[in-house]
Amino acid sequence: MSQQEEIVLWIDQRWKRAIEKHLNDETLQEHLENVLDELCNQLPEREYERISRAIQSEAAAQRAEEEAARTYAAYHVTERGQEWYFKTSPGEELLTVGKKLRSYITSEKAAVPDLFIKMFAGGRPIAAEEYNALTAVRMENTGKVRGVFDVNFDKREFSAVHIMDGWQTWAMRDVSVAAYHATRSYFASADEQWRKLLNHLNGKEITSAGHLSAQNFSFGEEIIESDGKLNFYLQADFDVDAAFGTFVCTDQNDDWLNIYANYDVEQDRLCNTLDLNLCKGDGSEEDWSYPLNAAEQEVLLCKMEAFCQQQTGMSLHEYARQLRDSETQAPEMQM
């Protein structure tokens, strides 16, 4: 709690002007502030240190309190071959960003900025690492991060992080239309606008690289232990071409794709990549990895946890510990 006290001094303007003529480019207020600083410095050292520590501690506590109450939204925007990462505070939610998007793509050019990022006057540039960190906080559902968005004008895609399903991606036009229907009535409540927005977006989700959601993660075989990892075979029953850049969702070839998610037994954690194995019709194969971002890792881990419980009756942590224990137990010597 601030213990500052205001001291008010009254002086005739003629005295003030006369004094300031002799203060070497200082105002009277600046001079008096320096006098106060000198008086503080003349206090006994112990008393000065005690008061300084108390003031610094109070200031730090106030900053921490303000930061705890502050909310954010994080953005990755791609437009005209360029990309930007930034955050805003207080953070916007999906409906607000949808309205900004609609305004940007439907208004006369003279009425809106030349770039979407300029629709966010208070945006602060951040690094990709901070964007990923804010994505992870969003998935924790603490309320600290109210929205994480990836807006790609070059692909005409709009993606947002849902706290349960991870990434959700729609065609940009669908988000614009949904925002219009949600907000066209001046009398609709905030809850009603949200309901209309979600109703118009329901069923229009698309698959997008870097934005895999919970609906993309389902498993088709038993869990296999191999090379210190638990392998989960993912069913390729979604648009894998859009997700991984392949060309298997077609009748023009006999290629197919194997997708594996892995859990490191020794480290007792999810591996942060998917292993992809493309089997081509000519008998050749191609292997590569797909890096998982924070939202993808969170929803994938939840799905793996549920599947492990179903298959083994144990959590991933318990199952990994059992495997580690069985490997460290030396076989008894037979006599």
Side-chain angles (χ1 to χ4, degrees), residues 186-206:
Y186 291 107
F187 304 103
S189 66
D191 288 343
E192 201 172 349
Q193 289 183 351
W194 264 107
R195 181 182 56 78
K196 289 181 178 180
L197 179 78
L198 299 179
N199 283 344
H200 278 88
L201 290 176
N202 186 38
K204 294 184 174 67
E205 294 89 347
I206 60 176

Side-chain angles (χ1 to χ4, degrees), residues 156-172:
R156 310 303 292 178
E157 292 181 356
F158 183 102
S159 302
V161 173
H162 186 274
I163 57 175
M164 297 296 293
D165 297 327
W167 285 107
Q168 292 181 307
T169 301
W170 304 275
M172 198 169 276

Side-chain angles (χ1 to χ4, degrees), residues 216-271:
N216 299 128
F217 298 130
S218 59
F219 308 106
E221 298 179 1
E222 293 183 356
I223 304 171
I224 299 173
E225 183 192 5
S226 176
D227 297 327
K229 296 178 182 177
L230 300 177
N231 299 140
F232 292 72
Y233 184 80
L234 267 67
Q235 294 181 335
D237 55 1
F238 57 95
D239 189 352
V240 296
D241 293 346
F244 307 120
T246 52
F247 186 54
V248 299
C249 301
T250 177
D251 295 331
Q252 298 181 33
N253 61 53
D254 295 323
D255 299 354
W256 75 90
L257 185 66
N258 295 313
I259 312 169
Y260 298 93
N262 301 297
Y263 190 87
D264 191 308
V265 173
E266 182 63 33
Q267 298 294 324
D268 196 15
R269 62 173 177 82
L270 173 73
C271 297

Side-chain angles (χ1 to χ4, degrees), residues 131-150:
Y131 176 81
N132 292 332
L134 290 170
T135 301
V137 175
R138 168 67 176 161
M139 292 299 296
E140 294 172 2
N141 192 24
T142 62
K144 186 72 175 174
V145 178
R146 301 176 66 188
V148 173
F149 306 95
D150 192 338

